[in-house]
Amino acid sequence: MAPTETLAEQHFATLQALMPGSLVPVALLTGSTPAGRRADLLGKLRTGELKLIVGTHALIEEPVEFERLAVAVVDEQHRFGVRQRAALDAKAPAGLAPHMLHMTATPIPRTLYLANFGALDVTTLRELPKGRQPIVTHVVGGERERDRAYDRIREELRAGHQAFVVCPLVSESEALQARAATAEFERLKETELADFRVVLLHGQMRPREKAAAMEEFAAGGADVLVATTVIEVGIDVPNATVMLVEDAERYGISQLHQLRGRVGRGEDPSLCLLFGPAESPRLQALARHTDGFELAAIDLALRGEGELTGTRQSGLARFRFARLPEDAAILERAHARAAALLREDPGLRAPELALLAAELEAAEKEPVAA
């Protein structure tokens, strides 16, 4: 399951290349799948004829039934909510849960703490793919720095490279003081980037228009792509060496890290320019660190880990005594002790565990925050 149709289509193409032929049939299910094709896929999933499917949120819709879902992979896990991932779990046979593989460059605070508790096994890939160069990130505050930033962008464009410009809004809003992609697209064509070919991409465009804009940029027919966060995942243009993010303080750490990952995908040094307040702890964290787990730890300290048994993915956990992250070592010991108790007495039926069992039963009845 992937968060965007573009990324789901890429995974589908990869699996087809890895497993050619009909030995393991694979199909694609997204919001754009025609009704007739959708009905055929759902029928084959229900009977077990189709063993492997790639899709978007469409996979967790109510009509989708698996004969025997055993393994589920969630890519860009931070883009899905707790209930959405639980909905995928619920597609398994009654009383069972699928083996789950969550993939992300920047774990959300809740995921990081689940890993710390031993509730998730973690595999970390810390090296860059072969041939890639690290990305230098700068926080751009004042107008003088902004002018210099555009100078650097033009230098890269004249050298034959390409650039992304990301805005938080599609169109201008009276309620929100932030740059809009449509207005910035028109402005840049007449001002700082007048000498270059600029194209626009946002989620409200028709699918054919979006595909045309992305294909033109990927093929090198355009120098600059002005976009919203639709480019956050699933975009691979090795010649793009500059990422400019307007109003960067409006984004979370994981989202900024993902956006930054759209450059630095080739063999040329790349640059990420975050336009926002220089004193922002989140923006400074991005400027100092490129490791997703380091950024996730900073995000955890800034936002809190949320509910480990509920649905909040950030915010302070509601422990009665523990203070996080200062008491992480105590919580790890508590987890180890709890695991030992469950091995010895899964039902907590021993007399000396009666109070613990009662507390757990009461905790399960407490309302869960949305």
Side-chain angles (χ1 to χ4, degrees), residues 134-183:
I135 304 166
V136 176
T137 302
H138 296 291
V139 180
V140 180
E143 287 302 316
R144 182 177 297 179
E145 289 179 303
R146 176 181 281 267
D147 291 341
R148 173 55 186 153
Y150 278 113
D151 286 340
R152 281 290 291 114
I153 293 173
R154 287 188 289 267
E155 288 172 12
E156 290 294 318
L157 297 179
R158 292 189 183 106
H161 299 138
Q162 293 164 281
F164 293 98
V165 175
V166 178
C167 299
L169 303 178
V170 172
S171 55
E172 291 182 315
S173 166
E174 293 182 1
L176 297 175
Q177 297 299 314
R179 296 205 177 221
T182 51

mmCIF file of all heavy atoms in Angstrom, residues 134-183:
data_model
loop_
_atom_site.group_PDB
_atom_site.id
_atom_site.type_symbol
_atom_site.label_atom_id
_atom_site.label_comp_id
_atom_site.label_asym_id
_atom_site.label_seq_id
_atom_site.Cartn_x
_atom_site.Cartn_y
_atom_site.Cartn_z
ATOM 1 N N PRO A 134 25.535 13.683 -0.953
ATOM 2 C CA PRO A 134 24.721 14.246 0.133
ATOM 3 C C PRO A 134 24.086 15.569 -0.287
ATOM 4 O O PRO A 134 24.572 16.253 -1.195
ATOM 5 C CB PRO A 134 25.725 14.441 1.275
ATOM 6 C CG PRO A 134 27.063 14.481 0.620
ATOM 7 C CD PRO A 134 26.966 13.601 -0.592
ATOM 8 N N ILE A 135 22.994 15.931 0.385
ATOM 9 C CA ILE A 135 22.257 17.162 0.082
ATOM 10 C C ILE A 135 22.596 18.205 1.134
ATOM 11 O O ILE A 135 22.469 17.950 2.335
ATOM 12 C CB ILE A 135 20.743 16.894 0.077
ATOM 13 C CG1 ILE A 135 20.399 15.774 -0.906
ATOM 14 C CG2 ILE A 135 19.970 18.167 -0.268
ATOM 15 C CD1 ILE A 135 19.003 15.223 -0.727
ATOM 16 N N VAL A 136 23.014 19.379 0.703
ATOM 17 C CA VAL A 136 23.288 20.490 1.613
ATOM 18 C C VAL A 136 21.993 21.272 1.804
ATOM 19 O O VAL A 136 21.322 21.628 0.830
ATOM 20 C CB VAL A 136 24.384 21.408 1.055
ATOM 21 C CG1 VAL A 136 24.589 22.611 1.968
ATOM 22 C CG2 VAL A 136 25.689 20.635 0.887
ATOM 23 N N THR A 137 21.621 21.533 3.068
ATOM 24 C CA THR A 137 20.366 22.211 3.369
ATOM 25 C C THR A 137 20.633 23.534 4.067
ATOM 26 O O THR A 137 21.422 23.600 5.010
ATOM 27 C CB THR A 137 19.477 21.324 4.269
ATOM 28 O OG1 THR A 137 19.242 20.080 3.608
ATOM 29 C CG2 THR A 137 18.146 22.005 4.568
ATOM 30 N N HIS A 138 19.973 24.597 3.600
ATOM 31 C CA HIS A 138 20.096 25.920 4.213
ATOM 32 C C HIS A 138 18.714 26.452 4.564
ATOM 33 O O HIS A 138 17.762 26.273 3.803
ATOM 34 C CB HIS A 138 20.773 26.912 3.257
ATOM 35 C CG HIS A 138 22.191 26.567 2.917
ATOM 36 N ND1 HIS A 138 23.215 26.643 3.836
ATOM 37 C CD2 HIS A 138 22.747 26.139 1.753
ATOM 38 C CE1 HIS A 138 24.345 26.291 3.261
ATOM 39 N NE2 HIS A 138 24.085 25.969 1.989
ATOM 40 N N VAL A 139 18.619 27.140 5.705
ATOM 41 C CA VAL A 139 17.403 27.854 6.073
ATOM 42 C C VAL A 139 17.548 29.292 5.588
ATOM 43 O O VAL A 139 18.531 29.967 5.912
ATOM 44 C CB VAL A 139 17.162 27.819 7.592
ATOM 45 C CG1 VAL A 139 15.878 28.573 7.953
ATOM 46 C CG2 VAL A 139 17.099 26.374 8.093
ATOM 47 N N VAL A 140 16.587 29.751 4.809
ATOM 48 C CA VAL A 140 16.648 31.080 4.197
ATOM 49 C C VAL A 140 15.629 31.985 4.881
ATOM 50 O O VAL A 140 14.421 31.735 4.812
ATOM 51 C CB VAL A 140 16.368 31.007 2.683
ATOM 52 C CG1 VAL A 140 16.435 32.394 2.065
ATOM 53 C CG2 VAL A 140 17.362 30.065 2.018
ATOM 54 N N GLY A 141 16.114 33.036 5.550
ATOM 55 C CA GLY A 141 15.233 33.893 6.323
ATOM 56 C C GLY A 141 14.909 35.218 5.658
ATOM 57 O O GLY A 141 13.821 35.433 5.141
ATOM 58 N N GLY A 142 15.842 36.158 5.620
ATOM 59 C CA GLY A 142 15.587 37.517 5.139
ATOM 60 C C GLY A 142 15.559 37.643 3.630
ATOM 61 O O GLY A 142 15.863 36.697 2.890
ATOM 62 N N GLU A 143 15.197 38.842 3.144
ATOM 63 C CA GLU A 143 15.095 39.094 1.712
ATOM 64 C C GLU A 143 16.444 39.008 1.002
ATOM 65 O O GLU A 143 16.530 38.543 -0.131
ATOM 66 C CB GLU A 143 14.471 40.475 1.480
ATOM 67 C CG GLU A 143 12.983 40.540 1.787
ATOM 68 C CD GLU A 143 12.192 39.531 0.970
ATOM 69 O OE1 GLU A 143 12.458 39.407 -0.247
ATOM 70 O OE2 GLU A 143 11.318 38.850 1.549
ATOM 71 N N ARG A 144 17.514 39.448 1.699
ATOM 72 C CA ARG A 144 18.833 39.362 1.081
ATOM 73 C C ARG A 144 19.222 37.899 0.847
ATOM 74 O O ARG A 144 19.741 37.547 -0.219
ATOM 75 C CB ARG A 144 19.869 40.046 1.967
ATOM 76 C CG ARG A 144 21.276 40.055 1.363
ATOM 77 C CD ARG A 144 22.261 40.807 2.238
ATOM 78 N NE ARG A 144 21.888 42.220 2.367
ATOM 79 C CZ ARG A 144 22.566 43.092 3.088
ATOM 80 N NH1 ARG A 144 23.647 42.696 3.765
ATOM 81 N NH2 ARG A 144 22.184 44.351 3.150
ATOM 82 N N GLU A 145 18.926 37.061 1.840
ATOM 83 C CA GLU A 145 19.217 35.637 1.680
ATOM 84 C C GLU A 145 18.350 35.016 0.588
ATOM 85 O O GLU A 145 18.785 34.130 -0.147
ATOM 86 C CB GLU A 145 18.986 34.914 3.012
ATOM 87 C CG GLU A 145 20.026 35.228 4.078
ATOM 88 C CD GLU A 145 19.730 34.499 5.368
ATOM 89 O OE1 GLU A 145 18.617 34.696 5.909
ATOM 90 O OE2 GLU A 145 20.582 33.740 5.817
ATOM 91 N N ARG A 146 17.106 35.506 0.479
ATOM 92 C CA ARG A 146 16.215 34.998 -0.555
ATOM 93 C C ARG A 146 16.773 35.327 -1.945
ATOM 94 O O ARG A 146 16.768 34.479 -2.844
ATOM 95 C CB ARG A 146 14.821 35.598 -0.377
ATOM 96 C CG ARG A 146 13.831 35.226 -1.453
ATOM 97 C CD ARG A 146 12.485 35.887 -1.197
ATOM 98 N NE ARG A 146 11.742 35.158 -0.186
ATOM 99 C CZ ARG A 146 10.865 34.204 -0.462
ATOM 100 N NH1 ARG A 146 10.638 33.865 -1.721
ATOM 101 N NH2 ARG A 146 10.211 33.588 0.493
ATOM 102 N N ASP A 147 17.290 36.550 -2.119
ATOM 103 C CA ASP A 147 17.881 36.933 -3.405
ATOM 104 C C ASP A 147 19.064 36.036 -3.749
ATOM 105 O O ASP A 147 19.224 35.598 -4.895
ATOM 106 C CB ASP A 147 18.336 38.396 -3.368
ATOM 107 C CG ASP A 147 17.170 39.364 -3.305
ATOM 108 O OD1 ASP A 147 16.036 38.962 -3.649
ATOM 109 O OD2 ASP A 147 17.379 40.526 -2.897
ATOM 110 N N ARG A 148 19.896 35.760 -2.740
ATOM 111 C CA ARG A 148 21.052 34.896 -2.971
ATOM 112 C C ARG A 148 20.599 33.471 -3.303
ATOM 113 O O ARG A 148 21.201 32.801 -4.144
ATOM 114 C CB ARG A 148 21.948 34.896 -1.720
ATOM 115 C CG ARG A 148 23.113 33.904 -1.756
ATOM 116 C CD ARG A 148 23.991 34.092 -2.979
ATOM 117 N NE ARG A 148 25.013 33.062 -3.077
ATOM 118 C CZ ARG A 148 25.563 32.668 -4.202
ATOM 119 N NH1 ARG A 148 25.187 33.206 -5.363
ATOM 120 N NH2 ARG A 148 26.488 31.732 -4.213
ATOM 121 N N ALA A 149 19.527 33.028 -2.679
ATOM 122 C CA ALA A 149 19.011 31.690 -2.946
ATOM 123 C C ALA A 149 18.596 31.551 -4.407
ATOM 124 O O ALA A 149 18.897 30.545 -5.074
ATOM 125 C CB ALA A 149 17.830 31.395 -2.028
ATOM 126 N N TYR A 150 17.927 32.568 -4.935
ATOM 127 C CA TYR A 150 17.535 32.511 -6.341
ATOM 128 C C TYR A 150 18.756 32.586 -7.261
ATOM 129 O O TYR A 150 18.757 31.993 -8.357
ATOM 130 C CB TYR A 150 16.531 33.614 -6.661
ATOM 131 C CG TYR A 150 15.121 33.246 -6.273
ATOM 132 C CD1 TYR A 150 14.457 33.912 -5.250
ATOM 133 C CD2 TYR A 150 14.454 32.208 -6.931
ATOM 134 C CE1 TYR A 150 13.155 33.553 -4.886
ATOM 135 C CE2 TYR A 150 13.160 31.855 -6.580
ATOM 136 C CZ TYR A 150 12.515 32.532 -5.560
ATOM 137 O OH TYR A 150 11.243 32.166 -5.208
ATOM 138 N N ASP A 151 19.800 33.298 -6.834
ATOM 139 C CA ASP A 151 21.045 33.299 -7.604
ATOM 140 C C ASP A 151 21.585 31.878 -7.729
ATOM 141 O O ASP A 151 22.016 31.448 -8.810
ATOM 142 C CB ASP A 151 22.093 34.193 -6.937
ATOM 143 C CG ASP A 151 21.807 35.677 -7.118
ATOM 144 O OD1 ASP A 151 21.047 36.028 -8.043
ATOM 145 O OD2 ASP A 151 22.339 36.480 -6.320
ATOM 146 N N ARG A 152 21.562 31.152 -6.596
ATOM 147 C CA ARG A 152 22.069 29.771 -6.611
ATOM 148 C C ARG A 152 21.211 28.876 -7.499
ATOM 149 O O ARG A 152 21.726 27.999 -8.210
ATOM 150 C CB ARG A 152 22.095 29.205 -5.189
ATOM 151 C CG ARG A 152 23.249 29.660 -4.362
ATOM 152 C CD ARG A 152 24.575 29.043 -4.845
ATOM 153 N NE ARG A 152 24.629 27.599 -4.591
ATOM 154 C CZ ARG A 152 24.648 26.668 -5.524
ATOM 155 N NH1 ARG A 152 24.619 26.995 -6.815
ATOM 156 N NH2 ARG A 152 24.724 25.389 -5.201
ATOM 157 N N ILE A 153 19.891 29.096 -7.457
ATOM 158 C CA ILE A 153 19.010 28.297 -8.299
ATOM 159 C C ILE A 153 19.339 28.540 -9.770
ATOM 160 O O ILE A 153 19.459 27.592 -10.565
ATOM 161 C CB ILE A 153 17.535 28.628 -8.007
ATOM 162 C CG1 ILE A 153 17.169 28.162 -6.595
ATOM 163 C CG2 ILE A 153 16.614 27.967 -9.042
ATOM 164 C CD1 ILE A 153 15.791 28.589 -6.147
ATOM 165 N N ARG A 154 19.499 29.809 -10.128
ATOM 166 C CA ARG A 154 19.817 30.125 -11.526
ATOM 167 C C ARG A 154 21.166 29.542 -11.943
ATOM 168 O O ARG A 154 21.340 29.096 -13.085
ATOM 169 C CB ARG A 154 19.796 31.639 -11.738
ATOM 170 C CG ARG A 154 18.377 32.222 -11.744
ATOM 171 C CD ARG A 154 18.380 33.681 -12.160
ATOM 172 N NE ARG A 154 18.952 34.544 -11.124
ATOM 173 C CZ ARG A 154 18.236 35.164 -10.195
ATOM 174 N NH1 ARG A 154 16.913 35.001 -10.149
ATOM 175 N NH2 ARG A 154 18.814 35.956 -9.307
ATOM 176 N N GLU A 155 22.131 29.505 -11.005
ATOM 177 C CA GLU A 155 23.424 28.886 -11.308
ATOM 178 C C GLU A 155 23.246 27.415 -11.670
ATOM 179 O O GLU A 155 23.846 26.910 -12.628
ATOM 180 C CB GLU A 155 24.362 29.018 -10.097
ATOM 181 C CG GLU A 155 24.875 30.424 -9.854
ATOM 182 C CD GLU A 155 25.641 30.516 -8.538
ATOM 183 O OE1 GLU A 155 25.946 29.451 -7.956
ATOM 184 O OE2 GLU A 155 25.928 31.645 -8.081
ATOM 185 N N GLU A 156 22.428 26.723 -10.891
ATOM 186 C CA GLU A 156 22.191 25.303 -11.148
ATOM 187 C C GLU A 156 21.462 25.103 -12.475
ATOM 188 O O GLU A 156 21.773 24.183 -13.243
ATOM 189 C CB GLU A 156 21.376 24.689 -10.006
ATOM 190 C CG GLU A 156 22.135 24.556 -8.696
ATOM 191 C CD GLU A 156 23.270 23.556 -8.791
ATOM 192 O OE1 GLU A 156 23.071 22.485 -9.402
ATOM 193 O OE2 GLU A 156 24.372 23.853 -8.268
ATOM 194 N N LEU A 157 20.483 25.959 -12.753
ATOM 195 C CA LEU A 157 19.726 25.826 -14.000
ATOM 196 C C LEU A 157 20.612 26.085 -15.207
ATOM 197 O O LEU A 157 20.521 25.379 -16.229
ATOM 198 C CB LEU A 157 18.537 26.785 -13.990
ATOM 199 C CG LEU A 157 17.482 26.553 -12.894
ATOM 200 C CD1 LEU A 157 16.377 27.596 -12.991
ATOM 201 C CD2 LEU A 157 16.894 25.145 -12.983
ATOM 202 N N ARG A 158 21.481 27.077 -15.109
ATOM 203 C CA ARG A 158 22.383 27.374 -16.231
ATOM 204 C C ARG A 158 23.397 26.248 -16.447
ATOM 205 O O ARG A 158 23.927 26.087 -17.551
ATOM 206 C CB ARG A 158 23.104 28.701 -15.988
ATOM 207 C CG ARG A 158 22.165 29.920 -16.046
ATOM 208 C CD ARG A 158 22.925 31.228 -16.025
ATOM 209 N NE ARG A 158 22.014 32.364 -16.002
ATOM 210 C CZ ARG A 158 21.792 33.124 -14.925
ATOM 211 N NH1 ARG A 158 22.444 32.879 -13.794
ATOM 212 N NH2 ARG A 158 20.943 34.124 -14.984
ATOM 213 N N ALA A 159 23.650 25.499 -15.392
ATOM 214 C CA ALA A 159 24.565 24.362 -15.515
ATOM 215 C C ALA A 159 23.869 23.135 -16.111
ATOM 216 O O ALA A 159 24.486 22.079 -16.255
ATOM 217 C CB ALA A 159 25.140 24.010 -14.138
ATOM 218 N N GLY A 160 22.592 23.298 -16.459
ATOM 219 C CA GLY A 160 21.874 22.195 -17.096
ATOM 220 C C GLY A 160 21.051 21.343 -16.159
ATOM 221 O O GLY A 160 20.496 20.324 -16.573
ATOM 222 N N HIS A 161 20.966 21.747 -14.887
ATOM 223 C CA HIS A 161 20.191 20.984 -13.925
ATOM 224 C C HIS A 161 18.765 21.528 -13.808
ATOM 225 O O HIS A 161 18.409 22.509 -14.470
ATOM 226 C CB HIS A 161 20.891 20.992 -12.563
ATOM 227 C CG HIS A 161 22.240 20.374 -12.592
ATOM 228 N ND1 HIS A 161 23.335 20.900 -11.930
ATOM 229 C CD2 HIS A 161 22.703 19.280 -13.238
ATOM 230 C CE1 HIS A 161 24.397 20.144 -12.157
ATOM 231 N NE2 HIS A 161 24.033 19.149 -12.941
ATOM 232 N N GLN A 162 17.961 20.902 -12.949
ATOM 233 C CA GLN A 162 16.565 21.295 -12.781
ATOM 234 C C GLN A 162 16.258 21.565 -11.315
ATOM 235 O O GLN A 162 17.044 21.204 -10.423
ATOM 236 C CB GLN A 162 15.648 20.197 -13.320
ATOM 237 C CG GLN A 162 15.726 20.004 -14.827
ATOM 238 C CD GLN A 162 15.116 18.696 -15.272
ATOM 239 O OE1 GLN A 162 15.737 17.643 -15.159
ATOM 240 N NE2 GLN A 162 13.876 18.751 -15.766
ATOM 241 N N ALA A 163 15.097 22.193 -11.062
ATOM 242 C CA ALA A 163 14.759 22.586 -9.693
ATOM 243 C C ALA A 163 13.272 22.392 -9.413
ATOM 244 O O ALA A 163 12.433 22.494 -10.315
ATOM 245 C CB ALA A 163 15.140 24.054 -9.458
ATOM 246 N N PHE A 164 12.973 22.121 -8.139
ATOM 247 C CA PHE A 164 11.607 22.075 -7.631
ATOM 248 C C PHE A 164 11.353 23.331 -6.796
ATOM 249 O O PHE A 164 12.226 23.764 -6.037
ATOM 250 C CB PHE A 164 11.392 20.874 -6.707
ATOM 251 C CG PHE A 164 11.475 19.532 -7.374
ATOM 252 C CD1 PHE A 164 12.645 18.788 -7.311
ATOM 253 C CD2 PHE A 164 10.384 18.995 -8.039
ATOM 254 C CE1 PHE A 164 12.730 17.533 -7.893
ATOM 255 C CE2 PHE A 164 10.450 17.738 -8.630
ATOM 256 C CZ PHE A 164 11.625 17.011 -8.561
ATOM 257 N N VAL A 165 10.151 23.884 -6.889
ATOM 258 C CA VAL A 165 9.694 24.935 -5.984
ATOM 259 C C VAL A 165 8.385 24.448 -5.386
ATOM 260 O O VAL A 165 7.415 24.209 -6.112
ATOM 261 C CB VAL A 165 9.477 26.282 -6.711
ATOM 262 C CG1 VAL A 165 8.876 27.310 -5.743
ATOM 263 C CG2 VAL A 165 10.798 26.797 -7.289
ATOM 264 N N VAL A 166 8.347 24.267 -4.063
ATOM 265 C CA VAL A 166 7.173 23.695 -3.403
ATOM 266 C C VAL A 166 6.464 24.757 -2.573
ATOM 267 O O VAL A 166 7.100 25.477 -1.791
ATOM 268 C CB VAL A 166 7.571 22.506 -2.505
ATOM 269 C CG1 VAL A 166 6.352 21.951 -1.776
ATOM 270 C CG2 VAL A 166 8.224 21.413 -3.339
ATOM 271 N N CYS A 167 5.144 24.844 -2.731
ATOM 272 C CA CYS A 167 4.326 25.797 -1.981
ATOM 273 C C CYS A 167 3.262 25.042 -1.187
ATOM 274 O O CYS A 167 2.796 23.983 -1.614
ATOM 275 C CB CYS A 167 3.634 26.775 -2.928
ATOM 276 S SG CYS A 167 4.772 27.763 -3.917
ATOM 277 N N PRO A 168 2.847 25.573 -0.026
ATOM 278 C CA PRO A 168 1.892 24.859 0.831
ATOM 279 C C PRO A 168 0.452 24.896 0.342
ATOM 280 O O PRO A 168 -0.359 24.070 0.749
ATOM 281 C CB PRO A 168 2.026 25.573 2.180
ATOM 282 C CG PRO A 168 2.517 26.932 1.839
ATOM 283 C CD PRO A 168 3.389 26.771 0.623
ATOM 284 N N LEU A 169 0.108 25.855 -0.528
ATOM 285 C CA LEU A 169 -1.273 25.992 -0.992
ATOM 286 C C LEU A 169 -1.347 25.856 -2.506
ATOM 287 O O LEU A 169 -0.378 26.135 -3.219
ATOM 288 C CB LEU A 169 -1.840 27.362 -0.599
ATOM 289 C CG LEU A 169 -1.840 27.733 0.895
ATOM 290 C CD1 LEU A 169 -2.382 29.143 1.068
ATOM 291 C CD2 LEU A 169 -2.653 26.735 1.703
ATOM 292 N N VAL A 170 -2.531 25.443 -2.984
ATOM 293 C CA VAL A 170 -2.758 25.401 -4.428
ATOM 294 C C VAL A 170 -3.045 26.802 -4.946
ATOM 295 O O VAL A 170 -2.443 27.268 -5.908
ATOM 296 C CB VAL A 170 -3.929 24.453 -4.774
ATOM 297 C CG1 VAL A 170 -4.281 24.561 -6.259
ATOM 298 C CG2 VAL A 170 -3.580 23.020 -4.410
ATOM 299 N N SER A 171 -3.978 27.494 -4.289
ATOM 300 C CA SER A 171 -4.348 28.853 -4.687
ATOM 301 C C SER A 171 -4.345 29.760 -3.468
ATOM 302 O O SER A 171 -4.378 29.290 -2.322
ATOM 303 C CB SER A 171 -5.722 28.863 -5.363
ATOM 304 O OG SER A 171 -6.688 28.257 -4.525
ATOM 305 N N GLU A 172 -4.327 31.061 -3.701
ATOM 306 C CA GLU A 172 -4.231 32.014 -2.605
ATOM 307 C C GLU A 172 -5.474 31.972 -1.729
ATOM 308 O O GLU A 172 -6.586 31.755 -2.196
ATOM 309 C CB GLU A 172 -4.027 33.422 -3.173
ATOM 310 C CG GLU A 172 -2.656 33.596 -3.819
ATOM 311 C CD GLU A 172 -2.449 34.996 -4.345
ATOM 312 O OE1 GLU A 172 -3.375 35.518 -4.982
ATOM 313 O OE2 GLU A 172 -1.373 35.569 -4.085
ATOM 314 N N SER A 173 -5.264 32.179 -0.416
ATOM 315 C CA SER A 173 -6.348 32.107 0.555
ATOM 316 C C SER A 173 -6.311 33.337 1.449
ATOM 317 O O SER A 173 -5.241 33.786 1.861
ATOM 318 C CB SER A 173 -6.200 30.833 1.412
ATOM 319 O OG SER A 173 -7.015 30.875 2.555
ATOM 320 N N GLU A 174 -7.501 33.864 1.756
ATOM 321 C CA GLU A 174 -7.576 34.996 2.680
ATOM 322 C C GLU A 174 -7.318 34.554 4.109
ATOM 323 O O GLU A 174 -6.843 35.327 4.937
ATOM 324 C CB GLU A 174 -8.958 35.657 2.581
ATOM 325 C CG GLU A 174 -9.221 36.332 1.241
ATOM 326 C CD GLU A 174 -10.569 37.020 1.197
ATOM 327 O OE1 GLU A 174 -11.272 36.974 2.233
ATOM 328 O OE2 GLU A 174 -10.917 37.597 0.159
ATOM 329 N N ALA A 175 -7.622 33.288 4.397
ATOM 330 C CA ALA A 175 -7.480 32.786 5.775
ATOM 331 C C ALA A 175 -6.040 32.440 6.115
ATOM 332 O O ALA A 175 -5.627 32.536 7.273
ATOM 333 C CB ALA A 175 -8.373 31.572 5.979
ATOM 334 N N LEU A 176 -5.259 32.028 5.102
ATOM 335 C CA LEU A 176 -3.892 31.583 5.359
ATOM 336 C C LEU A 176 -2.898 32.486 4.626
ATOM 337 O O LEU A 176 -3.033 32.724 3.426
ATOM 338 C CB LEU A 176 -3.704 30.135 4.886
ATOM 339 C CG LEU A 176 -4.554 29.080 5.593
ATOM 340 C CD1 LEU A 176 -4.359 27.726 4.928
ATOM 341 C CD2 LEU A 176 -4.196 28.999 7.072
ATOM 342 N N GLN A 177 -1.943 32.994 5.373
ATOM 343 C CA GLN A 177 -0.894 33.818 4.791
ATOM 344 C C GLN A 177 0.262 32.919 4.364
ATOM 345 O O GLN A 177 1.210 32.695 5.101
ATOM 346 C CB GLN A 177 -0.424 34.869 5.801
ATOM 347 C CG GLN A 177 -1.496 35.858 6.203
ATOM 348 C CD GLN A 177 -2.004 36.665 5.008
ATOM 349 O OE1 GLN A 177 -1.218 37.160 4.214
ATOM 350 N NE2 GLN A 177 -3.321 36.790 4.898
ATOM 351 N N ALA A 178 0.145 32.374 3.179
ATOM 352 C CA ALA A 178 1.178 31.471 2.683
ATOM 353 C C ALA A 178 1.196 31.540 1.160
ATOM 354 O O ALA A 178 0.204 31.911 0.528
ATOM 355 C CB ALA A 178 0.903 30.031 3.137
ATOM 356 N N ARG A 179 2.332 31.191 0.586
ATOM 357 C CA ARG A 179 2.472 31.252 -0.866
ATOM 358 C C ARG A 179 1.688 30.114 -1.513
ATOM 359 O O ARG A 179 1.688 28.988 -1.024
ATOM 360 C CB ARG A 179 3.931 31.179 -1.259
ATOM 361 C CG ARG A 179 4.714 32.374 -0.739
ATOM 362 C CD ARG A 179 5.936 32.663 -1.558
ATOM 363 N NE ARG A 179 6.590 33.861 -1.048
ATOM 364 C CZ ARG A 179 7.107 34.810 -1.796
ATOM 365 N NH1 ARG A 179 7.036 34.733 -3.108
ATOM 366 N NH2 ARG A 179 7.691 35.859 -1.264
ATOM 367 N N ALA A 180 1.030 30.439 -2.617
ATOM 368 C CA ALA A 180 0.237 29.461 -3.357
ATOM 369 C C ALA A 180 0.959 29.087 -4.641
ATOM 370 O O ALA A 180 1.590 29.925 -5.296
ATOM 371 C CB ALA A 180 -1.140 30.037 -3.670
ATOM 372 N N ALA A 181 0.865 27.813 -5.009
ATOM 373 C CA ALA A 181 1.587 27.317 -6.178
ATOM 374 C C ALA A 181 1.157 28.020 -7.466
ATOM 375 O O ALA A 181 1.999 28.387 -8.287
ATOM 376 C CB ALA A 181 1.385 25.810 -6.296
ATOM 377 N N THR A 182 -0.150 28.232 -7.652
ATOM 378 C CA THR A 182 -0.617 28.851 -8.893
ATOM 379 C C THR A 182 -0.095 30.280 -9.029
ATOM 380 O O THR A 182 0.367 30.682 -10.101
ATOM 381 C CB THR A 182 -2.150 28.850 -8.938
ATOM 382 O OG1 THR A 182 -2.662 29.394 -7.712
ATOM 383 C CG2 THR A 182 -2.687 27.432 -9.102
ATOM 384 N N ALA A 183 -0.152 31.048 -7.936
ATOM 385 C CA ALA A 183 0.320 32.435 -7.984
ATOM 386 C C ALA A 183 1.840 32.491 -8.114
ATOM 387 O O ALA A 183 2.386 33.323 -8.856
ATOM 388 C CB ALA A 183 -0.127 33.182 -6.728
#
